[in-house]
């Protein structure tokens, strides 16, 4: 059963790190997830690398390419989640693209996700209007299908997306790809997040352009979670001690004061 409804029912704003599975090295993923939990993180987003990640900017694209070169596959990711589950109860969301999942088999993939302990899925290139089978399977296997809402979404669409998702929405802070600009450059952000609070009907997290503890605090004034991705991956890629850099940065981002 998905941990997400219970987690967000507690109404405590969450800092949610994004990590490309198998980056910087395959053997790092397990340690990085466990270190995140030790740093106070309660939910993590694991990226499933893909050769053509349309929603992602250059930092995540580069991490995905490196992970693919490291030999990362969907099978390996699910095996790694299974290993994480032996040591951790952190909520795990997988983010990826529909093409590899279709090759794997949609029903088989969702069933296997449920079996190993995945809590939710984000598939940015699967339009919800074309996702009836996906949404039904997530409900059958008790996963949370986290749908994406954008600043140009109408109030009516926000409500529909909340109904379809059921548990949680992922709101992009900007139009475009990850890592393209910071949230300070979106002068309509407060209005947008207030619309989400009014019309979503479910909790929502915000991603894209969140880079600092002050960004996280700003987002959590309105949202249920703040996702930090490109900033963390860049630190990992540049660091000679990625695990130490990761842990110290997460602790800083997760500070409540």
């Amino acid at each position: 059963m998905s941990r997400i409804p219970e987690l967000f029912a507690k109404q405590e704003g969450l800092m949610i790190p994004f990590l490309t599975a198998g980056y910087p090295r395959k053997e790092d993923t397990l340690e990085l997830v466990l270190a995140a939990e030790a740093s106070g993180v309660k939910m993590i987003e694991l990226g499933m690398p893909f050769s053509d990640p349309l929603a992602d900017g250059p930092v995540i694209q580069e991490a995905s390419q490196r992970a693919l070169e490291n030999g990362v596959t969907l099978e390996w990711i699910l095996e790694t989640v299974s290993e994480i589950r032996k040591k951790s109860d952190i909520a795990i969301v997988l983010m990826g693209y529909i093409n590899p999942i279709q090759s794997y088999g949609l029903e088989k993939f969702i069933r296997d996700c449920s079996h190993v302990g995945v809590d939710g899925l984000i598939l940015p290139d699967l339009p919800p209007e074309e996702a009836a089978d996906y949404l039904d399977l997530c409900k059958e296997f008790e996963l949370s299908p986290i749908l994406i809402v954008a600043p140009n979404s109408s109030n009516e669409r926000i409500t529909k997306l909340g109904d379809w998702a059921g548990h949680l929405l992922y709101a992009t802070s900007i139009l475009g790809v990850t890592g393209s600009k910071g949230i300070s450059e979106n002068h309509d952000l407060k209005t947008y997040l207030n619309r989400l609070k009014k019309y979503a009907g479910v909790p929502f997290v915000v991603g894209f352009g969140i880079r600092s503890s002050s960004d996280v605090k700003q987002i959590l004034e309105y949202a249920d979670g703040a996702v930090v991705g490109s900033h963390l991956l860049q630190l990992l890629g540049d660091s000679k001690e990625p695990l130490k850099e990761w842990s110290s940065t997460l602790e800083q981002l997760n500070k409540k004061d």
Side-chain angles (χ1 to χ4, degrees):
M1 178 178 293
S2 174
R3 295 163 178 79
I4 288 172
E6 182 179 356
L7 181 61
F8 284 91
K10 296 177 181 177
Q11 296 184 334
E12 53 180 271
L14 302 180
M15 190 282 295
I16 303 163
F18 173 91
L19 173 67
T20 298
Y23 178 83
R25 304 172 302 171
K26 285 177 78 174
E27 57 266 32
D28 292 328
T29 300
L30 174 60
E31 287 190 350
L32 290 170
V33 173
L34 296 179
E37 186 175 43
S39 299
V41 170
K42 297 181 179 178
M43 175 172 154
I44 191 164
E45 186 181 335
L46 285 181
M48 298 180 285
F50 180 51
S51 57
D52 189 22
L54 297 176
D56 294 314
V59 173
I60 296 180
Q61 286 184 22
E62 182 178 339
S64 290
Q65 184 57 40
R66 189 157 154 190
L68 291 172
E69 291 169 357
N70 289 340
V72 170
T73 63
L74 292 184
E75 290 84 356
W76 178 83
I77 292 171
L78 293 173
E79 289 169 7
T80 300
V81 172
S82 182
E83 291 300 309
I84 292 169
R85 279 287 165 253
K86 295 176 183 178
K87 301 180 179 182
S88 171
D89 200 44
I90 192 171
I92 298 174
V93 171
L94 298 184
M95 179 274 184
Y97 295 84
I98 190 61
N99 209 358
I101 292 170
Q102 288 176 328
S103 298
Y104 187 100
L106 179 62
E107 182 172 352
K108 182 177 187 300
F109 179 72
I110 293 177
R111 182 178 64 245
D112 290 350
C113 282
S114 178
H115 177 72
V116 301
V118 172
D119 297 289
L121 296 170
I122 303 173
L123 305 179
D125 63 339
L126 180 62
E129 292 84 357
E130 302 172 15
D133 289 345
Y134 164 70
L135 295 173
D136 288 344
L137 286 166
C138 284
K139 183 176 181 179
E140 178 182 351
F141 290 100
E142 299 184 309
L143 294 181
S144 296
I146 303 168
L147 302 181
I148 293 178
V149 59
N152 61 350
S153 298
S154 67
N155 296 336
E156 180 182 11
R157 180 159 181 79
I158 291 170
T159 300
K160 282 184 178 179
L161 290 169
D163 289 342
W164 287 330
H167 297 158
L168 187 66
L169 291 178
Y170 185 114
T172 64
S173 68
I174 57 170
L175 296 174
V177 297
T178 58
S180 54
K181 61 181 180 179
I183 60 169
S184 62
E185 298 175 58
N186 183 354
H187 304 296
D188 297 321
L189 183 60
K190 180 178 177 180
T191 300
Y192 167 45
L193 298 183
N194 278 326
R195 284 201 302 122
L196 288 169
K197 288 182 72 172
K198 183 175 181 179
Y199 293 102
V202 295
F204 65 92
V205 302
V206 179
F208 290 35
I210 301 171
R211 300 168 181 164
S212 66
S213 57
S214 61
D215 288 345
V216 171
K217 290 173 187 174
Q218 180 183 343
I219 291 297
L220 293 183
E221 289 180 15
Y222 305 94
D224 302 281
V227 181
V228 186
S230 297
H231 174 67
L232 289 169
L233 292 181
Q234 193 159 27
L235 288 175
L236 286 174
D238 294 341
S239 178
K240 294 181 179 179
E241 296 183 275
L243 182 59
K244 183 178 179 181
E245 186 87 36
W246 168 261
S247 296
S248 63
T249 303
L250 291 184
E251 288 173 2
Q252 181 64 35
L253 289 168
N254 218 17
K255 282 185 177 178
K256 300 297 183 182
D257 54 6

